[in-house]
Amino acid sequence: MLSYRHSFYAGNHADVLKHTVLSLIITALKEKPFFYLDTHAGAGRYQLSGEHAERTGEYLEGIARIWQQPDAPELLQPYFDAIRALNRNGTLRYYPGSPLIARHLLREDDRLQMT
């Protein structure tokens, strides 16, 4: 039995949905600076070639299936850009958690706090 450690599930289909929605919300907030508070921040960056992620392989049916699709909707590009920022050589090795995705999308006057 696996204990719940997000590193086993990082990048799975639920993360893709959650982080897509997060990216859409942040990119839609254009009028005024905002404060992003993450009360359940995890590790921030997950190694997909690590023991935990490889054990479950859930990212293979999540982010690995879609992150470099040439016909992906334009609305997904900010989310994909946050992932590409961690994987500059084009190989999917790392997956960002919510705080890193938010940090990537924040503007100069926006603020982020993790507890």
Side-chain angles (χ1 to χ4, degrees):
M1 175 163 167
L2 298 176
S3 65
Y4 187 83
R5 293 184 63 182
H6 193 62
S7 55
F8 286 102
Y9 310 103
N12 70 8
H13 68 282
D15 261 358
V16 169
L17 176 61
K18 174 179 66 176
H19 292 142
T20 296
V21 171
L22 173 65
S23 298
L24 291 170
I25 291 169
I26 290 175
T27 56
L29 296 172
K30 298 178 181 178
E31 303 246 342
K32 296 181 180 180
F34 67 91
F35 177 70
Y36 177 90
L37 175 63
D38 195 322
T39 60
H40 292 79
R45 181 181 83 163
Y46 300 92
Q47 185 174 350
L48 297 178
S49 60
E51 176 186 347
H52 293 173
E54 287 293 329
R55 186 170 174 187
T56 62
E58 289 194 23
Y59 74 95
L60 296 170
E61 293 299 317
I63 192 57
R65 290 183 66 139
I66 65 166
W67 84 293
Q68 288 190 318
Q69 291 297 318
D71 59 346
E74 184 67 30
L75 287 172
L76 293 179
Q77 291 313 308
Y79 167 55
F80 291 156
D81 289 345
I83 296 165
R84 286 187 196 103
L86 290 180
N87 298 283
R88 295 192 188 274
N89 68 357
T91 301
L92 184 62
R93 293 184 53 213
Y94 301 104
Y95 186 78
S98 298
L100 280 183
I101 290 172
R103 183 184 306 157
H104 181 82
L105 298 172
L106 295 183
R107 301 160 304 185
E108 187 175 315
D109 292 337
D110 299 329
R111 293 185 3 201
L112 172 125
Q113 176 69 44
M114 296 177 294
T115 62

